[in-house]
Every structure is written in C-alpha cells, then in structure tokens.
Amino acid sequence: MGAPWFKLQELAREHGIIARSSNYALYADMSNRVVEVLGAFTPDLEVYSIDESFLDLTAFRHLDLITYGQTIRQRIARWLGLPVCVGIAPTKTLAKLANHIAKKRPEFASVCDLERLSQADRARIFGEIAVGEVWGVGRRIEARLADMGIETVEALRR
C-alpha cells in the first residue's frame, strides 16, 4: 500500500513526480459547500462521508430524475468547480452501484438512474461489473463468492 516519502523520494525525482501535501481544511470546506448546494435539492439529506451524500428523492419521483441529477451536478460544477456523479436507485447500496456506473460509463453522462434501465440493460451492465464493486463486499467476501461462482454483480443479483 503506502510507503514513507523518504523511501520514494529518489524514485519520484527520477520520474519527475511532484509531491504535494494534502489540504484537509480545504477539502472539508469544499465538502461543506457541496452539502449546502445539495440541501437546496431535498430536505432529506444524509452526509455519509466527506465526499458522499445520500439524497432521498422519493418526493421528486414525478420529475425526470436524470434531468434532476444533471441539474445537481451542473450546479455543483458551476458554483464550486467540482465534478460529481449521481447514482439514483431505491436503496443506498444500489445508489452507490448506480454512481459507480455513472462514473465508469461515459454514455450515462455522469448520472445513472437504475430504475430507468430496462431489465436487459441492467443485466448486461451488471454482468460487466465485478462483485467486489458492491458496497460492503470486501476482499474476503469477494473470494468466498468467487468460490461459489459469483464473480459479477449480475451473478450476485441472480
């Protein structure tokens, strides 16, 4: 995983790598600003971590949630200069999976609503995602699932 900087300094110099120190105060400030923007989109907001939040959009189901998600990400980009992706689904686990899809698949333009996908499209996409990408499936569980022949999200779903 990580190594102390003094052990990597020479290698960094050889490859022209520049080290910068983290600015956690700025990161926290930007996180708070994102949460403030998100709060304008729903009163039911759960801050999960410094870079993740869950918004309950149940009351907004009458809207096109993909358009709503695009509005959210565009406002954050415009007001804060930060890129974000939006995953929309009926549960937090599925919302995180939808967010993964929104990040990794350009055809979703950074917003994925799992409920808008056809069953066939969902099965195809889930079949291309390693089961370890599911929130809560760590390396040990992933290995046990693989022993059972479950290596994709679609295999786990079935």
Side-chain angles (χ1 to χ4, degrees), residues 2-71:
W5 176 247
F6 74 88
K7 289 185 175 182
L8 300 173
Q9 256 179 317
E10 187 54 41
L11 182 63
R13 226 182 329 270
E14 284 176 34
H15 293 281
I17 297 170
I18 300 171
R20 302 213 186 263
S21 122
S22 299
N23 187 337
Y24 294 109
L26 175 62
Y27 197 34
D29 180 56
M30 295 305 288
S31 175
N32 291 334
R33 291 179 192 198
V34 169
V35 169
E36 190 175 329
V37 172
L38 293 175
F41 288 94
T42 181
D44 194 356
L45 169 68
E46 177 188 338
V47 178
Y48 179 70
S49 68
I50 198 163
D51 66 350
E52 273 184 299
S53 293
F54 291 103
L55 285 67
D56 185 345
L57 300 178
T58 305
F60 300 92
R61 282 281 167 205
H62 63 284
L63 300 176
D64 177 343
L65 292 181
I66 292 175
T67 301
Y68 201 61
Q70 287 295 345
T71 302

Side-chain angles (χ1 to χ4, degrees), residues 96-146:
K96 286 181 71 72
L97 187 58
N99 186 267
H100 172 81
I101 294 166
K103 282 180 192 171
K104 301 293 183 183
R105 299 182 73 109
E107 65 266 29
F108 286 94
S110 300
V111 176
C112 175
D113 181 351
L114 286 183
E115 293 194 313
R116 291 269 297 268
L117 295 175
S118 70
Q119 219 171 358
D121 284 343
R122 199 173 313 129
R124 179 180 48 76
I125 292 168
F126 284 6
E128 297 169 1
I129 301 171
V131 72
E133 295 297 331
V134 174
W135 186 28
V137 176
R139 280 192 279 251
R140 287 193 317 217
I141 293 173
E142 185 175 17
R144 279 192 290 171
L145 289 171

